[in-house]
């Protein structure tokens, strides 16, 4: 519904609730701090501060907020973990991603042409794991800057012949800030100069203490190049995933985050979406950041056309009117008219933001949480 409480409205206007209550009283409305205000009152108050309120925008925000709280415990089901790989340059992130993907492609999928869509899924003992193969740092910085949290578990790759380096420390800080559990993959163990003890020693100084040394950080020795230790690593990911109790409701309209997006000459706007809740279907009316449309076609990480995508699944979609940005949130609306309305309101809002950068208090400030 398109209402706000007095305190919510006060927050958006960066005013004291008492001031809003006084103004309401002046307008003949007796309100308490938690009282829901109707559209008319919101418009009156906002107008008094020189702020214009657009109906679509209010629907937009409350809709997105309502979404967060809508799932009942009994509707939730276990979902696959979403894993990112971080570490210093040349420590073996790309090699590890390739190695995991190659070892775990199932027989039935072996013929499939793997396709780069920014993420892929493997299956191990009937359980799926999603890996983002955008550079881990970018996944954290650009996405988190846009308020998106997509990673459940992070693999910190440290080359055993090189040890902890500046980007290793940066990665640890990102993961800690996001409160994402870290599994350490001590890589390049096949090298003669490998010194895993040194890696453990150095990481201890950054608060990552191996279980063997009385800490609670999982360390796995691997050689991404030779494929050694990959099974152990996958087992540990499954273990951590179970502890985290990751859940979603597959029986609802989809919601999630843009992993990558680009303009394709032939297909138009192409976006890789990570479904974080619900199930995405071909034909769904969808709002993606400031863009909107209908899901025209979906392709999975094996380059196959699919009709549905459940929680933690990455899919590449076409059908959006423009190209969204990595980190943008997306949401499916059952009502296509609403999707269009919200999409248009958002894109108008963005255009206005660019125009009225200098004006002090406007729509952008009022609804900057969207
Ligand atoms: P990234 O920058 O972290 O993505 O690192 P890459 O995966 O591109 O690897 C950098 C270099 O290290 C490449 O030449 C890889 O072949 C090599 N490399 C990666 N993993 C291993 C490993 O386990 N053993 C050895 N000997 N070399 C590796
Ligand atoms: Mg790389």
């Amino acid at each position: 519904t398109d209402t706000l409480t007095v305190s919510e409205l006060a927050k958006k206007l960066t005013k004291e609730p008492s001031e809003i209550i006084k103004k309401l009283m002046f307008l003949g409305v007796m309100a308490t701090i938690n009282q829901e205000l109707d559209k008319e009152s919101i418009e009156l108050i906002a107008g008094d501060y020189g702020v214009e309120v657009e109906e679509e925008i209010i629907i937009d925000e409350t809709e997105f907020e309502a979404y967060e709280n809508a799932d009942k415990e009994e509707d939730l089901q276990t979902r696959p973990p979403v894993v990112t790989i971080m570490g210093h340059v040349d420590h073996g992130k790309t090699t590890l991603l390739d190695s995991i993907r190659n070892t775990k492609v199932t027989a039935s999928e072996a013929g499939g042409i793997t396709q780069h869509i920014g993420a892929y899924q493997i299956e191990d003992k009937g359980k799926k794991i999603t890996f983002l193969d955008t550079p881990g740092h970018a996944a954290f910085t650009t996405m988190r800057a846009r308020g998106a949290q997509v990673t459940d578990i992070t693999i910190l790759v440290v080359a055993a012949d090189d040890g902890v380096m500046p980007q290793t420390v940066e990665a640890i800080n990102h993961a800690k800030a996001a409160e994402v559990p870290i599994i350490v993959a001590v890589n390049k163990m096949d090298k003669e100069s490998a010194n895993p003890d040194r890696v453990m020693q150095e990481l201890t100084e950054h608060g990552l203490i191996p279980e063997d040394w009385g800490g609670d950080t999982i360390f796995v020795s691997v050689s991404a190049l030779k494929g050694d230790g990959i099974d152990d690593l996958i087992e540990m990911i499954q273990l951590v995933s179970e502890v985290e109790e990751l859940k979603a409701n597959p029986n609802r309209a989809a919601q999630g985050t843009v992993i990558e997006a680009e303009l394709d000459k032939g297909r138009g706007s192409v976006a890789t979406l990570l479904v974080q809740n619900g199930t995405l279907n071909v034909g769904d009316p969808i709002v993606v950041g400031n863009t909107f449309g209908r899901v025209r076609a979906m392709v999975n990480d094996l380059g196959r056309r699919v009709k549905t995508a459940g929680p933690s699944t990455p899919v590449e979609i076409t059908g959006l009117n423009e190209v969204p940005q990595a980190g943008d949130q997306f949401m499916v609306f059952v009502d296509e008219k609403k999707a269009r309305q919200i999409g248009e309101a958002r894109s108008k809002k963005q255009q206005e933001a660019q125009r009225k950068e200098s004006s002090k208090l406007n729509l952008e400030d009022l609804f900057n949480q969207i």
Side-chain angles (χ1 to χ4, degrees), residues 188-202:
K188 306 200 185 184
M189 286 297 285
D190 60 289
K191 282 196 159 185
E192 208 141 308
S193 49
N195 186 350
D197 279 346
R198 183 182 137 210
V199 173
M200 288 197 259
Q201 188 63 58
E202 288 172 348

Side-chain angles (χ1 to χ4, degrees), residues 89-90 92-95 135:
V89 64
D90 282 345
K93 297 180 293 293
T94 303
T95 311

Side-chain angles (χ1 to χ4, degrees), residues 39-279:
K39 209 175 77 194
E40 202 176 34
S41 307
I42 294 169
E43 277 170 0
L44 275 170
I45 296 292
D48 207 43
Y49 288 110
V51 177
E52 195 189 323
V53 180
E54 287 189 18
E55 191 184 357
E56 295 90 325
I57 306 288
I58 293 182
I59 292 171
D60 184 356
E61 176 156 35
T62 49
E63 196 90 19
F64 271 72
E65 272 173 7
Y67 209 91
E68 299 296 315
N69 317 316
D71 288 314
K72 291 197 210 87
E73 189 61 39
E74 64 259 36
D75 296 330
L76 297 175
Q77 294 177 25
T78 300
R79 64 168 175 84
V82 178
V83 180
T84 43
I85 300 197
M86 299 209 283
H88 196 70
V89 64
D90 282 345
H91 278 200
K93 297 180 293 293
T94 303
T95 311
L96 185 60
L97 276 162
D98 290 346
S99 182
I100 292 169
R101 185 168 188 163
N102 293 337
T103 47
K104 285 295 160 186
V105 172
T106 61
S108 65
E109 290 167 342
I113 305 154
T114 56
Q115 156 162 333
H116 177 84
I117 66 166
Y120 68 80
Q121 262 190 340
I122 62 159
E123 198 169 311
D124 174 68
K125 301 186 193 85
K127 289 183 196 156
K128 288 177 174 159
I129 304 175
T130 303
F131 289 88
L132 297 190
D133 70 4
T134 48
H137 293 274
F140 268 89
T141 49
T142 50
M143 301 222 181
R144 290 203 73 230
R146 302 179 69 77
Q149 167 100 27
V150 291
T151 307
D152 298 309
I153 298 168
T154 193
I155 307 292
L156 180 66
V157 180
V158 188
D161 62 338
D162 203 23
V164 171
M165 296 303 272
Q167 285 169 286
T168 315
V169 177
E170 211 177 279
I172 295 168
N173 293 337
H174 280 311
K176 278 187 181 164
E179 294 179 7
V180 172
I182 297 172
I183 296 174
V184 178
V186 183
N187 191 32
K188 306 200 185 184
M189 286 297 285
D190 60 289
K191 282 196 159 185
E192 208 141 308
S193 49
N195 186 350
D197 279 346
R198 183 182 137 210
V199 173
M200 288 197 259
Q201 188 63 58
E202 288 172 348
L203 284 176
T204 298
E205 288 161 27
H206 295 277
L208 299 180
I209 303 156
E211 288 178 317
D212 290 351
W213 297 2
D216 59 4
T217 304
I218 298 171
F219 280 65
V220 184
S221 292
V222 301
S223 166
L225 195 69
K226 310 255 182 224
D228 299 336
I230 303 300
D231 286 342
D232 293 342
L233 181 61
I234 289 167
E235 206 180 308
M236 290 306 145
I237 295 170
Q238 302 282 32
L239 194 88
V240 173
S241 173
E242 267 167 42
V243 172
E244 295 290 303
E245 294 186 5
L246 306 167
K247 293 197 168 142
N249 175 7
N251 300 309
R252 66 175 301 165
Q255 172 256 321
T257 299
V258 177
I259 303 300
E260 287 184 357
E262 60 171 20
L263 191 64
D264 181 277
K265 268 188 197 154
R267 295 184 294 163
S269 167
V270 177
T272 297
L273 306 182
L274 175 71
V275 179
Q276 292 178 284
N277 202 5
T279 296

